[in-house]
Amino acid sequence: MTENTKNTSIWDAGGFGDEDLTELALQENAILNVRKLVGEISEMKGRPLTACVRSFGCQMNARDSEKLSGVLLRCGYLLTDDEDADLVIFNTCTVRDTANTRVYGRLGQIHHFKKSRKDMIVCICGCMPQAEGAAEEIHRRFPFIDIIFGTHNLFRFATLLYEKLSGGGAGKNGTVIEIWKDTQQIVEGLPVRREYPWKSGVNISFGCNNFCTYCIVPYVRGRERSRSPREIIHEIERLSEDGVIEIMLLGQNVNSYGNDIPGGMRFPELLARAAEVPGIERVRFMTSHPKDLSDELIDVMAGSPKIADHLHLPVQSGSSRVLHVMNRRYTKEDYLALVERIRAKMPDISLTTDIIVGFPGETESDFLETLDLVRRVRYDSAFTFLYSVRSGTLAADMPDQIPHEIAQERFDRLLTEVQQIANETIARHVGKTMTALAESTDPKEPGMLSGRLGNNIMIHFPGPADRIGTMVPVRILKQHGFYYTGEIAE
Ligand code: 5AD
Ligand code: SF4
């Protein structure tokens, strides 16, 4: 197993020039080598080789999967949605235990395919194998997996694939296993295969420095590293030239963007610049940590019609005591005051959040604080999670872990509340005309289009398929729970 701790620094003081050209050249070379082998195997089989990339978890992972797909396409594979392919990659999530369980379930199914096709290549990468000791466990439990790698060396996929195709690694059954402890490397310029022609995620930073006590992300994604503003804006310009009209800036905490680049650009300016790129019609971003959300950001959002009227602002708990133990570094009052400042400038903004129920030591009165906060903020929607023990985090060793039945009972009460509030809250838009990015036709109802509004809510409306991939003005006629129906307003 390779352990990388060399931490080559690739920043300059202004945050520019962070391209790692040597690594890019190495990977391009590896792609050519794989392509040659893929060509040979495909000639032998008399058919093209197929590859399937399965993504679990967050938007970051979805973007990483687009990078893996880009590499595979250049390597000569035909991309397919069918897991019974010549090569399958599971790009995994481990933020909660349920994410692991889901992948384990898929692996069982894949084993079945692999038994009948010995030359199938199965890869697992991302957050799950990056967790302490997990790669070894995966290798022990699923020895048929061919390539295991983590988050830090994702850009080395072509090299690892070449190693496997040209003879195999040192693990049992020739498994190639490479997990790096951390990295400072950001490799720009590798191929990407976007899932949608009209919208794209754009990474602005990788990793997280916050160490919320329940969260495994800082351990599996490493310390926060910001991409240079120049690279980000260049990427958005290239995407726009390629037909993209909506982008989502991605970081575990976009509000601390640039903190690692002394004197460098901060998020509000980056966001403003992104919105100015010609051809880009809508800019989204996620995720915002409340402790770092500045008034400057609020002003930039309020001042630009291209920035989506939506803020995902995870609160996690409404109890200041629990927030302190979670290491969130704000109180319930700070959060409510922030919401007030945001709404003072953007009265109609859509606010969404993440909430964890059953954090160690959470009492009934802590939980009531969360319910009270939810009632006061009145979110447009909220993702609610049962606390999940992540080994290696501080919270995993805290006393007073909450019994499942109690956590579940609180979870159910919270869910009822957030759903009822969301139902009432999003009704405020009925009758308005807003802009939707039309994204698909409804297979069940021909002639109906589905699109997403700036506030992130889906709307279905009659319209021609050639409007897909464009911004469409729509009148909202009716609310059906969490989506609307409407009509084109032209
Ligand atoms: N248990 C439950 N939920 C968690 N999250 C992160 N870690 C955990 C955990 N251990 C949630 C947080 C975060 C979202 C992405 O996942 O609410 O905002
Ligand atoms: Fe996890 Fe907290 Fe970082 Fe979000 S800010 S990724 S919850 S440690």
Side-chain angles (χ1 to χ4, degrees):
M1 195 173 295
T2 315
E3 296 240 311
N4 178 291
T5 46
K6 67 182 191 307
N7 288 351
T8 337
S9 177
I10 44 165
W11 319 116
D12 66 5
F16 292 108
D18 60 359
E19 306 96 310
D20 190 332
L21 293 174
T22 326
E23 188 59 49
L24 178 62
L26 281 173
Q27 292 312 309
E28 281 176 341
N29 193 44
I31 288 174
L32 289 178
N33 288 336
V34 174
R35 197 178 169 89
K36 199 160 162 273
L37 292 179
V38 166
E40 286 167 15
I41 303 170
S42 151
E43 210 171 284
M44 241 158 49
K45 289 187 184 278
R47 60 167 180 84
L49 295 193
T50 55
C52 171
V53 181
R54 272 279 171 271
S55 205
F56 297 83
C58 65
Q59 306 274 353
M60 288 275 188
N61 256 24
R63 185 65 179 155
D64 283 348
S65 292
E66 292 186 339
K67 295 176 185 172
L68 295 166
S69 296
V71 168
L72 284 164
L73 214 57
R74 284 269 187 94
C75 287
Y77 282 93
L78 204 65
L79 295 177
T80 165
D81 207 31
D82 186 353
E83 284 176 12
D84 191 6
D86 294 298
L87 184 149
V88 183
I89 305 186
F90 290 101
N91 186 15
T92 61
C93 170
T94 189
V95 76
R96 286 170 292 278
D97 195 43
T98 43
N100 287 34
T101 319
R102 215 164 290 147
V103 172
Y104 287 143
R106 297 305 316 143
L107 285 173
Q109 176 72 23
I110 290 296
H111 194 191
H112 174 72
F113 292 143
K114 176 132 184 170
K115 271 186 202 147
S116 58
R117 295 208 291 105
K118 289 271 178 277
D119 57 357
M120 178 180 191
I121 292 182
V122 182
C123 319
I124 184 163
C125 67
C127 293
M128 210 173 116
Q130 187 67 52
E132 183 82 39
E136 292 82 352
E137 194 193 327
I138 293 167
H139 184 45
R140 189 180 48 76
R141 282 182 60 182
F142 306 97
F144 65 89
I145 296 179
D146 299 282
I147 307 177
I148 305 176
F149 56 110
T151 54
H152 302 309
N153 55 346
L154 191 112
F155 61 83
R156 275 175 50 80
F157 174 50
T159 298
L160 304 177
L161 181 55
Y162 181 66
E163 196 178 326
K164 178 68 207 178
L165 287 174
S166 60
K172 193 176 164 202
N173 295 340
T175 304
V176 174
I177 309 175
E178 187 180 280
I179 306 290
W180 288 6
K181 265 200 161 63
D182 58 14
T183 190
Q184 295 265 310
Q185 252 172 311
I186 297 180
V187 183
E188 300 284 359
L190 279 166
V192 180
R193 205 297 196 126
R194 289 199 318 277
E195 202 179 334
Y196 304 95
W198 55 82
K199 68 172 182 182
S200 179
V202 174
N203 297 110
I204 66 165
S205 59
F206 303 94
C208 181
N209 287 352
N210 289 311
F211 288 95
C212 302
T213 52
Y214 51 80
C215 186
I216 200 166
V217 169
Y219 301 91
V220 293
R221 288 269 174 185
R223 293 296 60 69
E224 187 174 83
R225 305 165 308 280
S226 302
R227 278 179 82 194
S228 84
R230 190 193 58 182
E231 286 292 350
I232 296 167
I233 298 299
H234 272 181
E235 182 175 343
I236 300 170
E237 287 166 349
R238 283 197 304 269
L239 288 167
S240 166
E241 282 159 19
D242 205 25
V244 167
I245 58 171
E246 179 178 297
I247 54 159
M248 180 178 282
L249 303 177
L250 298 171
Q252 299 298 345
N253 176 12
V254 292
N255 296 329
S256 54
Y257 169 79
N259 283 357
D260 53 333
I261 310 175
M265 194 185 284
R266 293 297 191 262
F267 185 60
E269 188 181 345
L270 181 75
L271 180 63
R273 292 212 185 179
E276 280 163 15
V277 171
I280 296 298
E281 296 182 40
R282 189 188 274 163
V283 182
R284 301 183 181 279
F285 58 88
M286 80 189 307
T287 295
S288 277
H289 195 306
K291 79 175 163 61
D292 297 313
L293 198 147
S294 63
D295 288 343
E296 199 189 342
L297 178 69
I298 300 174
D299 288 337
V300 166
M301 288 184 76
S304 169
K306 288 192 181 172
I307 300 171
D309 226 7
H310 172 214
L311 194 56
H312 185 63
L313 198 59
V315 66
Q316 314 297 1
S317 168
S319 152
S320 295
R321 191 195 68 75
V322 170
L323 286 169
H324 178 71
V325 188
M326 284 178 163
N327 192 29
R328 292 292 288 178
R329 286 172 278 174
Y330 53 82
T331 61
K332 178 185 187 185
E333 290 69 32
D334 295 335
Y335 186 93
L336 288 170
L338 176 61
V339 167
E340 216 163 277
R341 286 205 300 282
I342 294 166
R343 286 198 169 134
K345 294 272 170 79
M346 294 174 281
D348 231 6
I349 192 159
S350 157
L351 285 179
T352 59
T353 201
D354 295 340
I355 302 169
I356 298 176
V357 177
F359 182 80
E362 182 190 72
T363 61
E364 175 63 18
S365 101
D366 290 321
F367 175 69
L368 290 176
E369 294 282 346
T370 300
L371 277 184
D372 176 59
L373 180 130
V374 161
R375 285 175 189 141
R376 290 217 221 166
V377 177
R378 300 187 61 78
Y379 294 103
D380 287 66
S381 88
F383 296 102
T384 48
F385 305 110
L386 274 175
Y387 167 73
S388 168
V389 181
R390 306 320 286 137
S391 127
T393 61
L394 281 176
D397 297 324
M398 286 180 186
D400 290 336
Q401 299 282 329
I402 305 296
H404 178 76
E405 313 76 68
I406 295 181
Q408 185 69 54
E409 190 266 336
R410 288 179 190 160
F411 179 91
D412 295 343
R413 275 152 72 199
L414 179 65
L415 191 64
T416 310
E417 192 75 26
V418 296
Q419 283 182 344
Q420 192 189 323
I421 291 173
N423 240 305
E424 293 163 11
T425 309
I426 68 172
R428 75 189 184 281
H429 295 303
V430 174
K432 285 188 196 168
T433 295
M434 292 167 90
T435 307
L437 171 53
E439 301 214 42
S440 58
T441 47
D442 190 334
K444 279 179 264 144
E445 254 189 284
M448 287 295 277
L449 298 180
S450 299
R452 214 168 263 280
L453 299 165
N455 61 13
N456 214 30
I457 299 173
M458 292 292 294
I459 181 157
H460 306 289
F461 54 97
D466 64 2
R467 299 299 289 265
I468 290 176
T470 68
M471 293 289 177
V472 183
V474 284
R475 194 171 304 111
I476 300 167
L477 297 177
K478 199 164 179 236
Q479 178 202 354
H480 311 256
F482 301 111
Y483 69 92
Y484 303 116
T485 46
E487 61 187 12
I488 296 182
E490 279 170 341

